[in-house]
Structure formats: structure tokens, C-alpha cells
């Protein structure tokens, strides 16, 4: 029993030494960092140097003493650092996904001693993405909402919406980054919408009042099937166009 106890203690001692001995443990170094350039992480594109990158994309900083970086900011947005991707000469990081409130076009590298080193770099914001509409068949004069992303209303360059035929939207009621509401113009016509911000112009992935490829329109007005098609003729649930219809006759 004594021999077994002594052996167990010996093994435990070795385990404790092994746990405490971490020669590769990451530690923030002293001094200040130097960034020589920023590149893509793809080895095949390592020669493509960057002066800017879109939000949420990954970049690699190349330089010296990069383990001295304790905090990293793109403009005024703090980046998330992963020590597994930091060496003395490279630092892989994602550009923050939030749009900067104060644009300086710089990366700020802050050391543990609170020294700050800057590097010129632009955070690129995508043009508006217009993915869907609250009701694509809403009537002129009604309020609708576009859903997507990057609907940025800059004080100096206001967000604008244009209907097909270059018909401008003049009454925008609410704007957020992912949604914008407005009153449909009286002369709104079928077609794509475009949304323009300070960062560019985006076109909708759909057409407003799209009458193409209609299978069933219940009155044949858009080339679709009317009544007497399908598993029932629809005569008992068919309604002629009235104040409740979106476009022509309908069934309920």
C-alpha cells in the first residue's frame, strides 16, 4: 500500500509540473507594434495588399512586435482579438461589423501601457441591400417598408429611394439600418426600386407590382388562370374587385 501511495504521489507531481509548464502560453509583449502592410488571409492572394476592406471581412496585419497589441480599433469600433491568431509578425482579425460613428480611416493599436500606434486603413461600408418589401402589391398612397441592410441616412448625404421610371419617393417616414418605411408615390409604377446612400446604390431583388409569370389572378387580367381550375371551381369563394382587393378579383 505504501509503495502504491508513493507512486501515485510521484505521478501527481509530474502532472502538476506538466500543467504549470506552458512554454507556448500566449503573453502580451512590451514595446510598441509596427505594421508594414495589410493583406488578405488567402495564401494565394497574399501579394494583394489592402488599403481598405468591407466590414466583417478578415484581414491580416503584417509587421513587427504585433504581440504588443492589447486592443485594436478600426475607426472608433473595437475589434475582437484572438490570441491564437497573433504572432510577433502577423495578426489576423475581422473588421468590426458595426458602422463607425466617427470615421478617421485609421487602425488604432493600443498597447498594455496605453501607448497608441495608428495605421491608415479604410473601413468600407456596402451599398444598400434591398431584399424584400412588406407588400409588393401595396397601392399608391399607402405606407410600405423595405427590408435589407445598410440603409444609412447620412446628415450630409440623405438616403433616397427611387421607383421604376425614375419616380422619386418624397415621403420617407422611418429609417433604420435594416429597414426603411415610406409612402408610395401616386405615380408608382411596376419595376425595381433603387436605394441610394452615401456608400452607393442598391437595386431591389424584386419588382414592385410584379405582374410577370402570374399563375392565378382569378380574373385573367395578368394572363393567369381565373375560375374553374384546380380541385374546386372557386365560384363560392370568388369576389369581384372591391375596396378589399389588392389587384382585381380575388378568392377568400
Amino acid at each position: 500500500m505504501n509503495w502504491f501511495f508513493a507512486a501515485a504521489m510521484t505521478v501527481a507531481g509530474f502532472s502538476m509540473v506538466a500543467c504549470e509548464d506552458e512554454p507556448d502560453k500566449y503573453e502580451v509583449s512590451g514595446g510598441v507594434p509596427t505594421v508594414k502592410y495589410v493583406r488578405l488571409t488567402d495564401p494565394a492572394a497574399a501579394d494583394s495588399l489592402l488599403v481598405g476592406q468591407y466590414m466583417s471581412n478578415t484581414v491580416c496585419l503584417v509587421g513587427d512586435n504585433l504581440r504588443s497589441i492589447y486592443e485594436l480599433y478600426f475607426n472608433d469600433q473595437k475589434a475582437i482579438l484572438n490570441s491564437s491568431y497573433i504572432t510577433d509578425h502577423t495578426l489576423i482579425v475581422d473588421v468590426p461589423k458595426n458602422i463607425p460613428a466617427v470615421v478617421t480611416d485609421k487602425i488604432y493599436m493600443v498597447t498594455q501601457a496605453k501607448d497608441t500606434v495608428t495605421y491608415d486603413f479604410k473601413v468600407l461600408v456596402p451599398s444598400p441591400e434591398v431584399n424584400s418589401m412588406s407588400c409588393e402589391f401595396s397601392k399608391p398612397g399607402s405606407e410600405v417598408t423595405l427590408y435589407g441592410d445598410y440603409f444609412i441616412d447620412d446628415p450630409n448625404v440623405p438616403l433616397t429611394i427611387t421607383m421604376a421610371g425614375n419616380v422619386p419617393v418624397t415621403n420617407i417616414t422611418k429609417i433604420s439600418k435594416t429597414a426603411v418605411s415610406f409612402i408610395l408615390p401616386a405615380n408608382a409604377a411596376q419595376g425595381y426600386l433603387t436605394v441610394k446612400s452615401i456608400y452607393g446604390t442598391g437595386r431591389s431583388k424584386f419588382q414592385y407590382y410584379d405582374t410577370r409569370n402570374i399563375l392565378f389572378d382569378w380574373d385573367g387580367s395578368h394572363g393567369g388562370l381565373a375560375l374553374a381550375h384546380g380541385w374546386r371551381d372557386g365560384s363560392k369563394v370568388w369576389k369581384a374587385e372591391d375596396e378589399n382587393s389588392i389587384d382585381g378579383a380575388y378568392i377568400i
Side-chain angles (χ1 to χ4, degrees):
M1 183 64 70
N2 291 339
W3 176 87
F4 177 79
F5 179 75
M9 291 298 292
T10 302
V11 172
F14 280 123
S15 299
M16 291 179 65
V17 172
C19 290
E20 294 174 357
D21 185 14
E22 300 179 68
D24 296 325
K25 180 181 178 181
Y26 180 84
E27 293 182 356
V28 178
S29 63
V32 294
T34 300
V35 173
K36 297 179 180 178
Y37 56 88
V38 180
R39 64 171 176 82
L40 297 173
T41 56
D42 183 2
D47 293 336
S48 299
L49 306 187
L50 302 174
V51 295
Q53 183 58 288
Y54 285 100
M55 298 182 303
S56 298
N57 280 271
T58 306
V59 297
C60 178
L61 279 61
V62 179
D64 297 317
N65 198 30
L66 299 186
R67 284 195 303 115
S68 66
I69 297 175
Y70 189 67
E71 292 179 342
L72 185 69
Y73 295 83
F74 289 79
N75 295 301
D76 60 347
Q77 298 299 311
K78 188 175 183 179
I80 298 175
L81 296 179
N82 186 334
S83 60
S84 298
Y85 299 133
I86 304 175
T87 69
D88 284 330
H89 302 291
T90 58
L91 186 152
I92 297 175
V93 65
D94 289 340
V95 179
K97 63 180 180 180
N98 296 323
I99 296 174
V102 179
V103 178
T104 59
D105 292 333
K106 292 184 182 295
I107 296 175
Y108 296 92
M109 295 161 280
V110 183
T111 69
Q112 202 164 20
K114 301 303 180 183
D115 293 319
T116 301
V117 176
T118 63
Y119 183 82
D120 292 338
F121 192 83
K122 292 184 177 181
V123 173
L124 307 178
V125 180
S127 58
E129 293 180 3
V130 189
N131 298 327
S132 62
M133 188 174 183
S134 55
C135 180
E136 296 175 15
F137 274 77
S138 292
K139 296 180 179 180
S142 60
E143 184 177 39
V144 295
T145 301
L146 298 179
Y147 299 100
D149 208 349
Y150 308 113
F151 298 138
I152 309 303
D153 188 36
D154 187 89
N156 298 315
V157 185
L159 188 81
T160 61
I161 303 172
T162 305
M163 309 290 295
N166 292 321
V167 176
V169 170
T170 59
N171 190 354
I172 297 178
T173 57
K174 186 178 181 180
I175 302 176
S176 70
K177 180 174 175 291
T178 57
V180 54
S181 301
F182 62 96
I183 305 300
L184 277 168
N187 54 342
Q190 175 181 336
Y192 296 102
L193 298 88
T194 58
V195 179
K196 184 178 181 180
S197 77
I198 189 174
Y199 299 108
T201 302
R203 193 182 78 162
S204 64
K205 298 179 180 179
F206 58 89
Q207 284 194 14
Y208 165 70
Y209 217 86
D210 192 353
T211 59
R212 303 169 301 167
N213 305 314
I214 298 293
L215 297 180
F216 303 94
D217 56 18
W218 312 117
D219 58 15
S221 60
H222 298 303
L225 299 177
L227 296 179
H229 293 279
W231 63 275
R232 62 182 180 184
D233 63 13
S235 60
K236 292 182 173 58
V237 292
W238 183 86
K239 296 289 183 180
E241 183 175 6
D242 58 20
E243 68 277 6
N244 297 315
S245 67
I246 293 177
D247 180 76
Y250 60 99
I251 64 170
I252 58 174

